[in-house]
């Protein structure tokens, strides 16, 4: 089964603004759902135009954890279960998923849902 992409309409971007713990302001670019053998994966792709090459990775991780716990997790379907994966990305500009964009600054982290919480998945 192919991935489903849900793009947030431009008119909704202002309403979808989110202020991150670091102070960056961003918006949700799109959500991509991918079925899995045991549980699906949801990719939440955020853009914060003022995001730049991270010097302090701790700050970036806090932002990504916030996006998972406060934005992605509550947005999951009611039947999402333990083992569901959430991948949160943050970029300085919109990018096309799966297409190399060397001029973009982008980071991502993977989490799994466990007991209703986002648990970081170390690669």
């Amino acid at each position: 089964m192919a991935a489903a992409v849900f793009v947030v309409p431009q008119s909704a971007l202002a309403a979808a603004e989110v202020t991150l713990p670091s102070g960056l302001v961003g918006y949700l670019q799109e959500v991509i759902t991918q079925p899995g053998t045991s549980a699906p994966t949801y990719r939440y792709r955020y853009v914060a135009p003022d995001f730049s090459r991270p010097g302090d990775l701790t700050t970036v991780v806090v932002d990504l954890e916030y996006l998972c716990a406060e934005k992605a997790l509550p947005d999951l379907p009611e039947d999402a279960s333990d083992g569901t994966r959430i991948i949160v990305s943050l970029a300085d500009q919109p990018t096309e998923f799966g297409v190399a964009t060397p001029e973009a600054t982008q980071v991502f982290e993977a989490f799994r849902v466990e007991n209703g919480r986002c648990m970081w998945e170390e690669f």
Side-chain angles (χ1 to χ4, degrees):
M1 188 182 290
V5 179
F6 300 97
V7 178
V8 179
Q10 281 299 111
S11 60
L13 293 180
E17 273 191 0
V18 59
T19 300
L20 302 174
S22 67
L24 284 173
V25 176
Y27 61 87
L28 179 64
Q29 177 186 345
E30 63 187 358
V31 177
I32 301 172
T33 60
Q34 299 172 290
T37 53
S38 59
T41 296
Y42 295 87
R43 295 178 181 273
Y44 282 77
R45 303 185 68 229
Y46 284 86
V47 174
D50 292 331
F51 181 60
S52 60
R53 300 237 180 258
D56 178 11
L57 292 179
T58 302
T59 301
V60 175
V61 169
V62 169
D63 283 349
L64 295 173
E65 288 174 339
Y66 171 83
L67 289 170
C68 185
E70 301 298 325
K71 299 301 178 182
L73 191 60
D75 189 56
L76 292 180
E78 286 184 24
D79 62 350
S81 61
D82 283 0
T84 297
R85 291 184 74 210
I86 299 171
I87 299 174
V88 178
S89 66
L90 180 63
D92 65 344
Q93 60 188 280
T95 58
E96 185 177 343
F97 179 71
V99 175
T101 311
E103 65 276 11
T105 298
Q106 183 173 333
V107 295
F108 66 92
E109 282 293 347
F111 302 88
R112 78 177 176 289
V113 176
E114 187 176 297
N115 297 320
R117 297 180 59 196
C118 289
M119 303 301 291
W120 176 58
E121 284 194 332
E122 186 175 4
F123 284 104

